[in-house]
Amino acid sequence: MVETKGRKANPEARMALLDHLKELRNRLFKAAIGVIVGTVVGFILYQPLLEALIKPIKDLNEKEGRAATLNFDGVASSFDLMVQVSVFLGVILSSPIWIYQLWAFIVPGLHKKERRLALSFVAAAVPLFIGGVLLAWLVLPNAVRVLTDFTPVGGSNFISAEIYLAFVLRLLLAFGIAFLVPVVLVGLNLAGIVKGKQLVKSWRITIFLVCLFAAMAAPGADAMSMFYLAAPMLLLFFAAIGVCLLNDRRRERRALKRAAETEATADIATSAADLENL
């Protein structure tokens, strides 16, 4: 009975600022626990993952005959790299958890039908994030090959392991997060913060920002990796804009229906009052 009365008193389920902050804290805590558990698994899988990450450098020596070696600069650098790679793997493995926590934080402000739509798009967020990481994985060998092509004839590449792995992890994470941005746009639209028409009007700025982000996230002078990142991002952005426009139309139809029902109810009430006066 208490929950029912509370729901009737607060039909839109509005929360005070303090309650929002508590909810955010709880969601962040659960997401952090997921990342920590994933990091522990990352420690276990560190060695085979490291072998896969440095494979592009080995291929330079074996397939193309270049002098390229991976060097550890300090005594503790190998341990630092193990921590970085394990945490990164933990973020990927725990992506269903922290993406769900993000969705669960947005959901209380949505209507029932909008929650279902949001759930379907968040369900797509996990494969999108992993798909972005896999796409970056495919781009990585080409990026390493192109960037090392700038080595002068007769020169050798003594590559710092810390710098190289930071470069690789940044590339993989940038692709993964970039593929999540359209889902965030749809979530903001469902929450009523962003309108589809606003996104359509700013399509030129969107293309510019996507290309700028791709240029910053993609490695150095490798134009192909920039293209591999920018092209799917633009496709996902415009798909998200289409979904936002459909959702705005559905909201407009619902608002018109409510207005018509309210007007009809008002007319009936007015007619009843007139009859009483007679």
Side-chain angles (χ1 to χ4, degrees):
M1 292 296 294
V2 176
E3 293 182 358
T4 304
K5 291 181 180 179
R7 186 65 180 177
K8 289 181 179 179
N10 186 17
E12 296 183 359
R14 295 184 180 275
M15 299 173 63
L17 178 60
L18 184 59
D19 294 331
H20 275 294
L21 294 176
K22 289 181 179 179
E23 177 74 8
L24 179 61
R25 181 194 62 188
N26 294 335
R27 297 298 176 187
L28 289 176
F29 178 76
K30 293 177 181 178
I33 292 296
V35 173
I36 291 173
V37 174
T39 301
V40 173
V41 178
F43 274 108
I44 300 173
L45 302 177
Y46 168 72
Q47 195 58 43
L49 180 62
L50 181 64
E51 292 291 330
L53 290 177
I54 64 177
K55 188 177 182 299
I57 295 180
K58 291 183 177 180
D59 290 341
L60 290 177
N61 292 320
E62 297 174 1
K63 297 181 180 180
E64 302 190 22
R66 300 187 192 178
T69 58
L70 194 67
N71 300 297
F72 292 88
D73 300 329
V75 176
S77 60
S78 57
F79 176 76
D80 293 339
L81 291 176
M82 182 175 66
V83 173
Q84 293 178 24
V85 173
S86 300
V87 171
F88 175 78
L89 187 58
V91 171
I92 295 178
L93 294 176
S94 63
S95 58
I97 298 175
W98 56 263
I99 289 176
Y100 172 79
Q101 295 304 322
L102 174 63
W103 168 78
F105 180 70
I106 299 176
V107 157
L110 303 179
H111 296 286
K112 187 175 181 180
K113 292 182 179 179
E114 292 173 338
R115 291 184 188 183
R116 295 174 182 173
L117 185 61
L119 179 59
S120 64
F121 276 91
V122 172
V126 173
L128 280 175
F129 177 77
I130 297 176
V133 173
L134 291 177
L135 179 61
W137 186 272
L138 296 176
V139 171
L140 178 61
N142 182 60
V144 173
R145 180 182 57 80
V146 171
L147 292 175
T148 53
D149 277 342
F150 291 95
T151 304
V153 178
S156 301
N157 293 105
F158 295 95
I159 303 172
S160 168
E162 186 175 359
I163 295 176
Y164 171 74
L165 288 179
F167 157 78
V168 172
L169 298 181
R170 179 173 67 94
L171 178 66
L172 297 177
L173 194 59
F175 271 62
I177 293 178
F179 276 44
L180 282 180
V181 174
V183 179
V184 175
L185 274 181
V186 174
L188 293 175
N189 176 260
L190 292 173
I193 300 175
V194 176
K195 299 294 184 181
K197 292 182 180 179
Q198 295 175 343
L199 297 176
V200 172
K201 291 180 181 179
S202 60
W203 67 271
R204 294 182 181 86
I205 299 177
T206 300
I207 294 177
F208 171 76
L209 292 177
V210 167
C211 293
L212 180 62
F213 175 82
M216 295 174 63
D222 184 12
M224 289 305 298
S225 59
M226 171 184 169
F227 172 78
Y228 289 145
L229 177 58
M233 275 189 66
L234 288 174
L235 291 176
L236 291 173
F237 262 107
F238 285 111
I241 290 174
V243 173
C244 292
L245 290 173
L246 292 175
N247 185 56
D248 289 343
R249 290 181 182 178
R250 182 168 54 252
R251 280 183 174 173
E252 290 175 1
R253 288 196 298 266
R254 188 167 56 205
L256 291 174
K257 184 179 178 180
R258 288 178 179 175
E261 291 176 352
T262 302
E263 185 177 354
T265 304
D267 291 340
I268 294 174
T270 303
S271 301
D274 292 339
L275 292 173
E276 289 179 0
N277 293 330
L278 293 175

